[in-house]
Each structure stands twice: as C-alpha cells, then as structure tokens.
Amino acid sequence: MKKNIVFLKETDSTNSFLKRNYRNYDSGTVVVAEKQLSGKGSSGRIFYSDIGGLYVSFLLKPPYTFPVNMLTPLAAVAAFRTLALFGCPSLSVKWVNDIYSFRKKICGILTESVVSQNSFDCVIVGIGINVCTPENNFNPAISDIACSLFKYSDKNAVKRVLCALIDQFFSLYESASVNEIADFYAEHSLLKGKFVTVKSGNSVVSGICKGFNSDCNIIIASQDGEKIISSGSVINFADV
Ligand code: BTN
C-alpha cells in the first residue's frame, strides 16, 4: 500500500478532517496535526490536543486487508508496541481504546467510518499519544489520570514517534493475523481480573473481567451470568 503523509499545522480534528476530505485521498493516507482545536475522544468526550502530543489519523478504504471490527484493537497493538520501543514503562491496554502506562492514560484511539449502502466507504483510525506534554501542563480535567512519554518538550520526539507508529500500524494492517492481534490485546490487558463497571448503550454491567474473546469483546462475570460486550466504556475498575 502506498503511504502518503499530510502535515497540518492545526485543524479541528484529524479524524474530522479526513471525514470531510476522504474522497480526495487514497487509502494509506496519514494525516498529522501539531495541534487539534476540537480533538475528539470516544463517547463524545474531548481529547485535549495541545502542541507536544501526536495527533494522527489513518485513512483506510476498500478492499480492507483486515477485519474492520478489529481495527481499534490493531491500532492499540501498534500504539502499545510503538510506546514500548521508546522505553515507556508498565504498558497495558484498557479496553476498548486506551493505552495506559502504570495507572495513567498515555494514548487514546478513536475509529470512525463513513458508511453508505451498508458498506464502509472508508474507515478512519485516529490515534492520540501524549508524547511530550509536560505533566504539569495537562488540562486540569485530566491531570490526575494522564501521563506523557517524555518529560520535556522536544519537537523531534513527536516525529520519531510518528514514524515508528506508521511502521507498526501498516505492518500489522498488511500482515498480522486476527489471532495475533486478539492474543496480544488480551495478554496485555489492564482490566483482566479486576472488578469493572461498563456502560454499553443504556445498560450498565458490573463484575469481574474474565478476559476477552477472539473479537476483543470483553467478558464479564456479572451477578446475572457471563456477559460479552462488544462496545462501551469502562466507567470504573478496581483490584479485587
Ligand atoms: C479517546 O481517548 O477516547 C480517544 C482519543 C482519540 C484521539 C485521536 S487524536 C487523532 C484523532 N483525532 C481526533 O479528534 N481524535 C483522534
């Protein structure tokens, strides 16, 4: 697949930029912004996106070489491996779309798609990594729960992390098996064995996280039996 990188000084959101403009770009295009003015997180949350972080979206179009429902886990594995290459300590994957270092979030993933006539015109995989946001510079709303790869600002660090992430992402997209992604994802889970509360649509399920199935759906042993949930957000987790 041919790769093409589009650098933007700033935009509202690299995902939104591609949603508006995907018709003008080929599959394999990567859009990077130094700063996002309206960075988007999952469930309508804000993703704080000041200079010092990596904000990047990957555009994929048919034919897809990897199942679309597994692209968020694939991106999580790519981001995890990238952070590991830079020596980031104690990494884990927090279902469904976050990477943690120790007990703090360092990376978030937001996968969006444009659908027409029941097929995906394109899928946009957005990844945000706190590369060198000084930790005392985080927005107060997230300063207790977020962390950064490097302590000090270094313009080249963001580019080096970008190059590594692009390599990891496309090598997995082009040649990983679904099992390899699902196994890695499950093995490096933050939540396995913890008591979790997950909100999915209008329902809330609590119980012990037993692990993940081959589609990276979370398996929860709740009071009402075993529940398998494909999407949602973890509103709480604790050791048992
Ligand atoms: C989350 O934390 O829930 C997901 C965060 C995803 C952030 C990335 S940054 C690049 C892309 N553009 C966005 O607006 N969001 C994603």
Side-chain angles (χ1 to χ4, degrees), residues 12-16 36 38-42 45 47 49 54-57 97-98 105 107-110 126-128:
D12 51 352
S13 144
T14 52
N15 272 27
S16 303
Q36 297 185 120
S38 269
K40 296 187 289 184
S42 49
R45 284 187 285 263
F47 189 78
S49 307
L54 172 60
Y55 313 110
V56 56
S57 297
N97 60 336
D98 293 334
K105 174 166 165 171
C107 166
I109 297 157
L110 178 67
I127 303 178

Side-chain angles (χ1 to χ4, degrees), residues 109-228:
I109 297 157
L110 178 67
T111 302
E112 300 187 89
S113 53
V114 179
V115 179
S116 67
Q117 287 158 359
N118 292 329
S119 71
F120 292 102
D121 282 357
C122 72
V123 178
I124 297 157
V125 181
I127 303 178
I129 298 180
N130 303 324
V131 175
C132 42
T133 314
E135 290 187 11
N136 53 4
N137 252 15
F138 277 118
N139 185 292
I142 57 165
S143 58
D144 287 346
I145 50 167
C147 68
S148 193
L149 177 58
F150 299 121
K151 293 240 170 313
Y152 304 102
S153 285
D154 165 3
K155 231 181 159 192
N156 285 327
V158 178
K159 286 209 176 114
R160 286 190 286 125
V161 176
L162 169 67
C163 292
L165 181 64
I166 290 175
D167 275 358
Q168 291 291 329
F169 184 88
F170 284 114
S171 81
L172 292 174
Y173 181 67
E174 282 163 354
S175 51
S177 70
V178 171
N179 283 349
E180 181 186 341
I181 297 297
D183 289 350
F184 189 99
Y185 190 92
E187 257 167 45
H188 295 89
S189 159
L190 174 68
L191 300 179
K192 190 168 177 193
K194 295 201 166 54
F195 187 86
V196 299
T197 302
V198 170
K199 186 171 188 307
S200 178
N202 289 330
S203 67
V204 174
V205 177
S206 291
I208 305 288
C209 170
K210 300 307 258 183
F212 300 84
N213 68 10
S214 56
D215 289 323
C216 295
N217 298 335
I218 192 167
I219 305 167
I220 300 177
S222 77
Q223 277 187 333
D224 306 327
E226 194 168 279
K227 305 275 179 202
I228 297 180

Side-chain angles (χ1 to χ4, degrees), residues 42-43 45 94-96 197-200 231-236:
S42 49
S43 310
R45 284 187 285 263
K94 177 170 164 265
W95 183 86
V96 54
T197 302
V198 170
K199 186 171 188 307
S200 178
S231 65
S233 58
V234 176
I235 51 184
N236 211 356

